[in-house]
Amino acid sequence: PQPAAAGSPAGAAPALTTEDVQTWLDGILPAALEREGLTGAVVSVVHGGQVVTERGYGYAGTGTDGAPVPVDAQRTLFRVGSITKLTVATAVMQLVEEGRVDLDEPVADLIDIDLPTRFDEPITLRHLLSHTAGFEERLGDLFMDPERDVPPLGQALADPPEQIFAPGTTPAYSNYGNALAGYVVERVSGMEFADYAATHIFEPLGMDTATLAQPLPEELAGQMAAGYHHRGSEPVPFEHVGIPPAGSMSAAAPDMSAFMLAHLGFDPTDDDGEAAPAFLSPESVHAM
């Protein structure tokens, strides 16, 4: 057990301070980046309704003149990969709260895609969001040539992968299944998923730079951290995810802080760390 911090009751955990967290991160991140050959990273930590720290390490890129550009924890955008899937779950739970969908209704009733299945039990939104719809994982066209336009989501999902497990029986990670839940959001809301996320999640939470746009809007492109195949390689072009709800989100650290705080029940737009009044109910967060 750690000793109690000065001024805290005996047996109480030490207070989580910005100074301590930053010291801990500073002792780990630079060496980790060097060891793994990574160019840069950003870390966001929240606690008790407040941002503890947002800290950048390394470089966002080599720069147009060859001079390295340091990561700016407040401005540098990173692709957050499959954390994008949390926006899908959030969007679905918003529609559940509005009474527009039910987690346990058959997905086939909500889409215009033929969804061949091998089992009698229908696939539901709950199955899609818990990766238990039974689909095999297929990586073809998950990452596209940046020169190609990303097709409409319904078109990209029109050829489903094989269903190899009965729904609800076997967890099996599925980019397709999560993107299909995103397509349900499109069908029910009448909005493209990227627009729905911007309007109903990012804007209300003050996530000013978060976006699922591919390519990035011109005003954000200059803030994007570059990707590299390996140490010393040339930067690679901005990747296009063929089924965007599964992984296309770009965001800066303050956006992710806001997203975390909202799901922990706090209002990220309130500096006093007050409870968020109407983002998602505690019941919805528990279901997630």
Side-chain angles (χ1 to χ4, degrees), residues 188-213:
V188 173
S189 70
M191 304 173 68
E192 290 188 9
F193 185 78
D195 294 333
Y196 180 96
T199 301
H200 295 278
I201 301 174
F202 302 155
E203 291 176 10
L205 298 182
M207 299 170 65
D208 297 332
T209 64
T211 179
L212 279 82

Side-chain angles (χ1 to χ4, degrees), residues 9 16 29 58-59 62 72 89 95 109-110 114 132 144 168 178 192 214 220 238 243 248 261:
L16 188 68
L29 264 295
Y59 299 99
T62 54
D72 182 334
L95 296 178
D109 295 346
L110 300 169
D114 183 21
T132 57
M144 298 174 51
N178 198 270
E192 290 188 9
Q214 301 181 124
L220 294 178
F238 183 85
I243 44 177
S248 70
L261 287 169

